Amino acid sequence: MVQRYDAIIIGTGQAGPPLAVRLGKYGRKTAIIERKLVGGTCVNNGCIPTKALIASARAAHIARRGADFGVILNDAVRVDMSAVKARKDAIVQQSNRGVTEWLHSAPNVTLIEGHARFEGPHAVRVGDELLEAKQIFINVGGRAAVPDMPGLADVPYLTNSSMMEVDFLPEHLIVVGGSYIGLEFAQMYRRFGSRVTVIEMGPRLIAREDEAVSAAVQAILEGEGIEFRLNATCLRAQRHGSGVRVGVSCEQEPREIIGSHLLLAVGRVPNTLDLGLETTAIRTDARGYIEVDDTLATSVPGVWAMGDVNGRGAFTHTSYNDFEIVAGNLLDGEARRVSDRIPAYALYIDPPLARIGMTEHEVRASGRKALVGKMQMARVGRARERSETQGYMQVLVDAEDQRILGAMLLGSEADEAIHCLLDVMYAQAPYTVITRAVHIHPTVSELIPTLLGDLKPLV
Ligand SMILES: Cc1cc2nc3c(=O)[nH]c(=O)nc-3n(C[C@H](O)[C@H](O)[C@H](O)COP(=O)(O)OP(=O)(O)OC[C@H]3O[C@@H](n4cnc5c(N)ncnc54)[C@H](O)[C@@H]3O)c2cc1C
C-alpha cells in the first residue's frame, strides 16, 4: 500500500531535521528517512566528534607545555585513548539523542529507519514501504572518497568514519590527503602521541588557500613534529607486517613510507549512486552532485536538494543555511537565494584558520583595485598573554567602495574573531564601520580595527 505524505525528506543531515520540524509545525504530514545514524555526518563522524577529540588533543598539548606557563607536572603526560574515545562518544550520543528525540516529538513528523530509493519523481521506497509526496527534499550528504590507488584493496585503511572507533594510539599514522580533514586528524594524533606523516599529491597543503597560508599552516604543524611528503605523485599501498607501506614517489628517495595505520582523507563523494535517481529526471553533475538552482530546486519540480549533496557547500553551516533558504521560500514568503551566502569556514587545527570571502589570489585574478592589511599574531596582546603567537591575520578591501572582499585569520581565536568582519560584509557596509568601533580589551578581535586601520595597496 502506498503511504501518502505532504513532504518526504531523505536523510537527517543538518538541513533535513529542522525542515521536518518546520513542515510539521505548518501542519504538513512529513516523513523523514534515515538509513544509519540520526544527525548525519556532523553529529556522528564529522564536526562534533572531531572537535571533541581535538579538545582532548589540545589538553594534552597544553599539559606538555605546562612549564611555559610555570606549571610543573611531575610525570610525563600520558593519553588514555579509551577515555578520550569515551568522552567523544558521550558528546556525540547527547547530540544524536537530541536530534532523534526532537524528531520523535515533533507534530506531524514520522521518522522512518531505512535506506530510501526513488521509484519515480515523487515516489520513494524504504524496504517494503512505498511513500509518495508532492514535495521531496534530499539531504543525503556524502562520504569519504576512496581513491583509485594501486594496492589499496589489499590493505586495511581508515576513513573519518572508522576513525571514530579508534581507542588506541597508532604508532605511526600515515594520512593521505593534506587538506581540512587530514590535517585535523594529523595534528590530533600527533598530540595524542603518534608519529604522523601526511602525504599530499599536490605541491602544497590546503590547495584552495593562498600559497602563504599553506606555508604558514605547514610550518605550524612541522613545529609539532608532523612529517610531510608533498608532490606524492606515485601513490600506491602494500601490506607491511601488521602495518602498511605507502609508495609516494617513483623517482625520489625515500620512495616509500612505512606506518602502522593508514587514514584516507582525500575528499568526499555525494551519496547519490544508490538513490534511484535514474528513475527520475533529477540531474547530477559529472561528480554525482545534484544540480540545483539558486533556490535549491532540482531539475524535477517539487524536489529540492540541500546540504553537501548539492555541491554548493560542504559545511554544517551551509547545509543549515540551505534549510533556511528552502523554508524561507516555501513557508515564510521570503525570497532567499544561495548566491546571497558569503563563503566562510574554518580549519580546526590549533591555532585555527578561519576564512571568509575571497582569497588574495581570487582578488588579484578579479583585476579590481584592492587594499590589503596584514598583522602577525605576535602583535596581539591576547595571543602573547596565552603564549600562542603563531599565525597572522590578513584582510582585503575593495579600494573603490571600501567593502571587505575577504579575510584570513590564522591564530588563536581566529574562528571567533573573524565574525566581526563577516557581519560587516553581510551588512554591505564599508570597513570603516569597524575601524571606528571600540572592541573589548584584551581580545583578538580588538586588533581587527587596527588591522583595518593600516591598509596598503595590493600590488
Ligand atoms: C571529519 C569531518 C569533520 C568535519 N568538520 C566540520 C566542521 O568542523 N565544521 C563544518 O561546518 N563542517 C564540518 N564537516 C562537514 C559537515 O559534517 C557536513 O557538511 C554536514 O554534516 C552537512 O551534511 P549534510 O546536511 O549534507 O548531510 P550529512 O550530515 O552527511 O547527513 C546525510 C544523512 O543522510 C543519510 N542518508 C544518505 N543516503 C540515504 C538514503 N538513501 N536513505 C536514507 N538516508 C540516507 C546518511 O546516513 C546521513 O545520516 C566535517 C566533515 C567531516 C567528514
Side-chain angles (χ1 to χ4, degrees):
M1 208 178 76
V2 176
Q3 309 276 333
R4 287 188 206 288
Y5 288 89
D6 296 316
I8 297 171
I9 298 171
I10 308 175
T12 62
Q14 289 298 306
L19 184 64
V21 172
R22 281 294 300 282
L23 287 164
K25 271 193 193 149
Y26 270 73
R28 311 269 173 91
K29 190 180 166 203
T30 303
I32 180 163
I33 309 156
E34 174 55 56
R35 70 177 175 192
K36 225 169 172 188
L37 297 166
V38 174
T41 309
C42 183
V43 167
N44 299 290
N45 41 44
C47 344
I48 291 180
T50 53
K51 272 75 233 177
L53 292 168
I54 284 168
S56 290
R58 182 170 157 81
H61 177 69
I62 293 293
R64 282 192 200 101
R65 288 191 61 202
D68 294 351
F69 300 86
V71 178
I72 308 304
L73 297 173
N74 290 326
D75 295 320
V77 173
R78 197 177 59 83
V79 178
D80 176 348
M81 288 302 290
S82 58
V84 166
K85 178 176 179 294
R87 173 182 179 276
K88 180 270 292 176
D89 287 344
I91 293 167
V92 167
Q93 273 158 24
Q94 195 183 19
S95 297
N96 170 282
R97 224 179 8 246
V99 185
T100 310
E101 283 166 12
W102 191 40
L103 289 172
H104 279 310
S105 62
N108 302 314
V109 175
T110 308
L111 174 61
I112 300 173
E113 280 178 36
H115 181 96
R117 201 172 267 112
F118 277 93
E119 284 195 2
H122 290 275
V124 170
R125 176 167 296 282
V126 189
D128 297 336
E129 306 271 328
L130 190 63
L131 282 55
E132 282 184 3
K134 281 201 175 122
Q135 294 186 326
I136 299 187
F137 304 90
I138 304 169
N139 181 216
V140 294
R143 61 182 183 282
V146 177
D148 191 12
M149 191 198 292
L152 193 61
D154 304 321
V155 300
Y157 61 82
L158 295 153
T159 65
N160 69 288
S161 299
S162 46
M163 281 302 279
M164 296 300 122
E165 300 312 315
V166 173
D167 61 357
F168 56 88
L169 189 66
E171 192 188 320
H172 182 181
L173 180 66
I174 297 179
V175 181
V176 176
S179 199
Y180 289 74
I181 293 173
L183 295 184
E184 289 184 9
F185 277 113
Q187 188 185 40
M188 178 199 304
Y189 273 83
R190 181 68 194 139
R191 289 180 168 189
F192 288 150
S194 297
R195 181 177 170 196
V196 175
T197 303
V198 176
I199 298 173
E200 164 59 45
M201 284 183 82
R204 61 188 176 94
L205 305 177
I206 42 173
R208 79 162 85 155
E209 306 305 331
D210 289 322
E211 277 182 41
V213 178
S214 300
V217 165
Q218 186 173 338
I220 288 171
L221 297 176
E222 277 173 343
E224 294 192 18
I226 296 171
E227 296 158 62
F228 289 95
R229 195 64 196 267
L230 307 179
N231 297 304
T233 47
C234 205
L235 275 178
R236 59 207 182 278
Q238 203 185 329
R239 265 185 194 271
H240 181 84
S242 60
V244 59
R245 179 195 294 265
V246 182
V248 285
S249 173
C250 294
E251 300 93 29
Q252 216 185 322
E253 296 294 339
R255 294 177 185 213
E256 296 175 331
I257 291 167
I258 294 169
S260 59
H261 294 81
L262 172 64
L263 166 63
L264 299 178
V266 294
R268 311 274 300 160
V269 287
N271 288 325
T272 47
L273 271 184
D274 49 3
L275 202 51
L277 292 182
E278 63 285 356
T279 67
T280 73
I282 296 172
R283 273 199 305 270
T284 55
D285 69 14
R287 295 185 303 151
Y289 288 94
I290 296 177
E291 290 180 7
V292 289
D293 68 11
D294 216 10
T295 65
L296 304 170
T298 69
S299 46
V300 167
V303 181
W304 290 259
M306 309 177 296
D308 293 8
V309 76
N310 63 29
R312 303 290 291 267
F315 301 98
T316 282
H317 45 278
T318 49
S319 181
Y320 189 80
N321 182 236
D322 284 358
F323 143 68
E324 293 174 316
I325 291 166
V326 169
N329 292 339
L330 294 183
L331 303 174
D332 303 330
E334 295 177 341
R336 299 191 67 167
R337 299 172 307 176
V338 194
S339 52
D340 290 335
R341 187 155 75 204
I342 298 168
Y345 50 84
L347 160 60
Y348 284 98
I349 55 162
D350 179 32
L353 160 69
R355 267 255 303 115
I356 55 172
M358 300 168 86
T359 61
E360 184 181 320
H361 176 77
E362 287 166 343
V363 172
R364 286 183 189 281
S366 74
R368 39 158 71 81
K369 273 192 185 169
L371 304 171
V372 60
K374 194 169 171 180
M375 182 187 286
Q376 296 299 321
M377 287 303 291
R379 276 192 61 196
V380 179
R382 178 65 172 268
R384 286 203 305 270
E385 289 145 16
R386 289 183 163 183
S387 294
E388 288 177 4
T389 52
Q390 292 168 312
Y392 68 100
M393 305 194 270
Q394 175 168 299
V395 62
L396 294 143
V397 169
D398 189 304
E400 269 150 25
D401 66 9
Q402 301 197 326
R403 299 269 172 86
I404 297 167
L405 296 170
M408 187 296 302
L409 272 53
L410 170 64
S412 188
E413 310 286 350
D415 55 326
E416 297 291 347
I418 202 149
H419 286 93
C420 67
L421 291 158
L422 184 60
D423 290 344
V424 168
M425 286 176 82
Y426 272 110
Q428 299 182 352
Y431 76 93
T432 47
V433 169
I434 303 184
T435 52
R436 286 170 200 173
V438 180
H439 286 185
I440 295 167
H441 173 76
T443 58
V444 174
S445 306
E446 87 178 306
L447 265 294
I448 289 184
T450 316
L451 170 72
L452 285 163
D454 188 22
L455 299 176
K456 308 225 164 29
L458 182 71
V459 285

